[in-house]
Amino acid sequence: MDIEKVNSMDFGEFVDVFGNVIERCPVVAAAVWSQRPFSDADDLERHFSAFLDALPVAGQEGILRCHPDLAGRELQLGTLTAESQREQSGAGLTRLGADERLQLAELNAQYRARFGFPFVLAARLSDRAALPRELARRLQCPPEQELRTALGEVKKICRLRLADLLGRDPAPR
Ligand code: GUN
């Protein structure tokens, strides 16, 4: 899909197509639509990022809270969004043993209790071995730093999902 096609979309089509580049937060795409026309794919991505950066802390925490746990109950139940399902499967999270699942469930619960939002990580850039290590490491971080890290992961997920939709190779960052 090229940028002219994106710029030609009406509100409904734009939100249908880009509504889940920020997990379960179509309001972000709804706001970004008003910023068109976009000069290119990077410009589109910058508008999604800028919206997140401009939110008050409560809004940023709200965005994080819309994310399901990695390897959590929704993966078991099959109720994830298509994007999250693909990302979690790709990271090997559908093939965990019972011990690994239990370990992640405990770490996810500790993380949520400490920070008040779920652990978010760009799963496509990680794997089932790195995930518990990274979760345990980030559990030790100060809350203000962790909010910034988690929001950075939301932006990475957004960049990868946009690249899929636009048929581009995501530039490493
Ligand atoms: N990383 C990629 N997708 C997701 C998701 O849906 N939830 C969390 N917590 N992290 C992710």
Side-chain angles (χ1 to χ4, degrees):
M1 185 192 323
D2 59 27
I3 201 68
E4 285 74 31
K5 165 69 189 156
V6 174
N7 287 330
S8 75
M9 288 179 179
D10 68 19
F11 176 75
E13 188 183 2
F14 188 89
V15 175
D16 276 350
V17 172
F18 295 106
N20 207 49
V21 299
I22 307 296
E23 178 75 15
R24 291 178 174 161
C25 295
V27 68
V28 185
V32 165
W33 179 77
S34 314
Q35 314 289 311
R36 75 201 187 291
F38 309 101
S39 53
D40 55 25
D42 288 338
D43 186 43
L44 177 64
E45 183 193 337
R46 272 193 297 276
H47 279 91
F48 277 94
S49 282
F51 181 89
L52 298 176
D53 287 335
L55 286 172
V57 165
Q60 295 175 339
E61 290 175 342
I63 296 277
L64 294 169
R65 287 187 188 117
C66 289
H67 287 69
D69 277 343
L70 285 172
R73 194 170 154 68
E74 291 212 53
L75 182 64
Q76 301 292 320
L77 294 173
T79 57
L80 292 169
T81 62
E83 293 87 345
S84 184
Q85 176 71 43
R86 210 164 36 239
E87 290 157 2
Q88 298 204 35
S89 303
L93 303 185
T94 46
R95 299 186 301 278
L96 297 179
D99 287 358
E100 287 174 292
R101 252 205 320 273
L102 193 65
Q103 183 198 20
L104 278 177
E106 282 171 5
L107 287 166
N108 273 328
Q110 285 175 39
Y111 183 98
R112 200 184 274 274
R114 172 158 161 77
F115 298 113
F117 48 78
F119 175 72
V120 176
L121 175 90
R124 273 162 72 178
L125 305 177
S126 188
D127 59 47
R128 63 196 270 191
L131 183 61
R133 278 201 307 271
E134 187 60 6
L135 221 174
R137 186 190 70 76
R138 281 173 49 189
L139 250 175
Q140 307 302 320
C141 291
E144 308 78 54
Q145 180 186 325
E146 185 50 29
L147 177 62
R148 280 196 302 277
T149 302
L151 209 65
E153 294 297 314
V154 173
K155 291 179 190 176
K156 287 183 202 170
I157 296 167
C158 172
R159 180 167 55 83
L160 293 165
R161 291 182 181 181
L162 282 174
D164 284 346
L165 289 166
L166 299 172
R168 311 168 79 217
D169 241 0
R173 201 168 285 166

